[in-house]
Amino acid sequence: MTTKQDYYTLDDFNFKDKTVLLRVDTNCPLSKEDLSIVNDVRIRAVTPTVRELIGKRAKLVIIAHQSRKGKWDCTGLEQHAKRLSKNLNIPVKYVDDVIGDKAKQAIMDLKPGEILMLGNVRTMDSETAKLDMVGHSEGEIVKALAPLIDYYVCDAFGAAHRSQCSLVGFPLKVPSASGRLMARELYALRSIFDNPRRPSVFILGGAKFGDVPHMIDVVMEHGMVDTVIIVGLAGNAFLYARGVDIGEASSAILKDELTPENIEIAKQVMTKYGQHILLPVDVAVERDGKRVSVNIGDMPTKEPALDIGDLSIDKFQKVIESSKTSFMSGPAGMFEKPGFEMGTKGLMEAMVNSKGLSVIGGGHTASAAEKFDYADRMSYLSTGGGALETFLLREPLPVIEALKESKKRFPAD
Ligand code: 3PG
């Protein structure tokens, strides 16, 4: 049976006794102290697909990434395999190798119903080469693993906006399908955002200020949002672009993001949509070991701004509580640091108290929602951060484009 979409799903193939390569996004926040997994929401999110493939007696090989090469949290995936095994209550073998003899042998030794997880694909430079799906389909990971597999399944919604070898290379070489998480995310996000209930408010935080102005421009242009609240480091950057002297300590944290180009785009967006954009009216700094709120008019501070201040929390809560759709991507401050979780926690509290739909985007924001016990009270928790933003920008997701191409090349079973 062929599904109606322009790409295949798990319903289109017979996986019994076949070797299936499953790409997931189990990129997790890790502890700086011992590199252990702090939150496994993304691992839990892919268990339905894993369970289904094992139930269908596939020989299952899982590939994934953790962080980016050169970063402190770019580790192997042994603990991810253990966590997956614990969640499923089924053994998951692990080989710290992606395309070498150890990995190949382990794949060939798999029996139906068994699971093998390979090493972090981002340890390989070819994974992140700047290529399109055609270029990546000739990449070394595809060349090494495609001959050993019958099907490729992509359930890595969180990385669906990346054109990387293990994400877009295989669909051109083997029959490929989307997994259940991918389908669930796309369905839920379309139903919430294609025609959002009004008024709708987007809370954009986190550290990636460079992406925020463009995002505001597009969502405003498409009339998807009534109010945009900008918090976190992105909020500090917008204050800077508006001419507020945020102080050397706060600007130093943002140095890579505060490029003349980013500042100019932020200014343009504020001129165009200023009446819809809310910036913090105060920030929180650490002074003598305590959280202290400082009004914007009293800046600069010599300490870095680590959270939005108490007046901002109060003001933003009122807007969020009266919304019918609220969406948060990126925390409002350094929520891991005691005292500086108040912004993130306060805004999430308003989201769950509102009578509308509440949506959280991104692994780290979802992990904060779980930490503060709001996760179960949100309408929807997406595993996608950048992927969700790309979806909201109405730009094509490279993974979906590759899966569509696969359907053109290969028949269903
Ligand atoms: C994410 O955490 O957003 C995804 O895992 C993608 O990670 P990346 O931004 O390092 O590509």
Side-chain angles (χ1 to χ4, degrees):
M1 183 196 70
T2 309
T3 41
K4 288 199 191 85
Q5 274 130 311
D6 34 16
Y7 51 89
Y8 292 126
T9 72
L10 297 188
D11 299 322
D12 294 304
F13 299 116
N14 180 4
F15 297 107
K16 189 170 183 310
D17 300 336
K18 300 288 196 248
T19 304
V20 179
L21 182 68
L22 171 66
R23 172 60 157 106
V24 293
D25 181 352
T26 51
N27 187 17
C28 295
L30 304 186
S31 149
K32 276 215 160 158
E33 273 96 64
D34 60 3
L35 295 177
S36 61
I37 293 174
V38 171
N39 181 283
D40 70 350
V41 63
R42 281 179 161 168
I43 299 180
R44 280 178 273 135
V46 294
T47 53
T49 298
V50 175
R51 239 183 243 293
E52 183 171 339
L53 288 166
I54 288 306
K56 290 179 171 170
R57 307 299 293 160
K59 303 175 197 172
L60 189 60
V61 185
I62 301 179
I63 49 172
H65 72 276
Q66 173 62 42
S67 188
R68 298 177 184 178
K69 198 170 181 180
K71 289 189 75 178
W72 65 272
D73 53 348
C74 184
T75 62
L77 303 179
E78 188 168 11
Q79 60 170 336
H80 301 65
K82 282 193 181 139
R83 207 53 98 93
L84 179 64
S85 167
K86 193 165 167 239
N87 294 344
L88 289 162
N89 208 11
I90 313 175
V92 176
K93 296 178 191 167
Y94 177 71
V95 174
D96 196 25
D97 179 21
V98 183
I99 59 167
D101 290 344
K102 272 204 255 164
K104 287 180 181 163
Q105 193 56 52
I107 294 173
M108 290 187 290
D109 290 345
L110 271 179
K111 298 192 180 51
E114 285 185 348
I115 310 173
L116 165 71
M117 191 155 189
L118 301 181
N120 183 352
V121 288
R122 290 248 176 113
T123 55
M124 307 195 55
D125 290 332
S126 54
E127 168 67 0
T128 48
K130 293 208 178 322
L131 295 170
D132 61 7
M133 63 172 116
V134 177
H136 275 309
S137 71
E138 300 302 327
E140 57 179 341
I141 303 178
V142 177
K143 282 212 166 108
L145 302 186
L148 304 177
I149 62 172
D150 299 292
Y151 298 104
Y152 169 82
V153 174
C154 192
D155 214 16
F157 176 73
H161 59 310
R162 300 287 181 218
S163 178
Q164 295 180 351
C165 189
S166 68
L167 291 157
V168 300
F170 288 96
L172 273 58
K173 298 291 182 188
V174 288
S176 301
S178 67
R180 297 300 183 204
L181 174 65
M182 187 78 83
R184 185 168 70 99
E185 292 267 20
L186 292 171
Y187 177 78
L189 297 174
R190 277 190 196 119
S191 18
I192 296 167
F193 291 113
D194 273 1
N195 198 3
R197 292 196 219 158
R198 315 307 283 254
S200 75
V201 54
F202 280 20
I203 305 138
L204 306 178
K208 294 178 189 165
F209 156 68
D211 300 339
V212 175
H214 178 56
M215 169 114 179
I216 297 175
D217 207 19
V218 176
V219 294
M220 279 290 171
E221 188 83 31
H222 286 91
M224 292 165 74
V225 63
D226 299 292
T227 307
V228 179
I229 294 174
I230 310 174
V231 292
L233 291 179
N236 297 349
F238 264 82
L239 288 172
Y240 180 94
R242 209 182 66 190
V244 174
D245 182 356
I246 59 173
E248 267 176 39
S250 294
S251 335
I253 301 174
L254 281 161
K255 69 175 182 327
D256 295 335
E257 299 280 323
L258 289 177
T259 61
E261 195 198 348
N262 281 348
I263 294 166
E264 186 49 38
I265 307 174
K267 280 185 183 160
Q268 283 171 16
V269 165
M270 281 191 281
T271 310
K272 214 163 150 191
Y273 301 113
Q275 73 275 30
H276 299 280
I277 297 175
L278 296 182
L279 299 185
V281 290
D282 57 353
V283 297
V285 300
E286 184 170 34
R287 205 165 276 170
D288 301 326
K290 289 203 189 81
R291 174 192 168 99
V292 175
S293 288
V294 178
N295 287 338
I296 297 305
D298 295 329
M299 290 191 86
T301 51
K302 63 175 189 311
E303 309 87 349
L306 301 179
D307 193 11
I308 53 173
D310 299 2
L311 288 175
S312 305
I313 298 175
D314 200 47
K315 176 177 170 181
F316 297 159
Q317 279 185 326
K318 292 192 176 81
V319 177
I320 297 167
E321 275 164 10
S322 60
S323 69
K324 294 262 170 49
T325 306
S326 59
F327 163 61
M328 182 176 197
S329 175
M334 205 189 258
F335 70 88
E336 304 86 349
K337 189 172 168 63
F340 296 89
E341 74 283 34
M342 282 176 66
T344 306
K345 203 172 163 184
L347 302 193
M348 287 185 175
E349 184 186 323
M351 289 175 76
V352 299
N353 286 342
S354 76
K355 301 271 177 292
L357 289 170
S358 47
V359 184
I360 291 286
H364 283 68
T365 322
S367 134
E370 292 205 332
K371 178 174 173 166
F372 304 133
D373 274 339
Y374 290 130
D376 293 342
R377 294 167 63 198
M378 295 285 172
S379 316
Y380 190 69
L381 225 71
S382 173
T383 55
L388 172 47
E389 285 173 13
T390 305
F391 171 88
L392 291 174
L393 293 174
R394 294 167 189 245
E395 286 168 7
L397 292 165
V399 163
I400 297 296
E401 297 309 302
L403 291 175
K404 286 183 189 168
E405 192 51 41
S406 194
K407 185 166 178 176
K408 289 185 198 150
R409 293 179 181 216
F410 300 98
D413 285 342

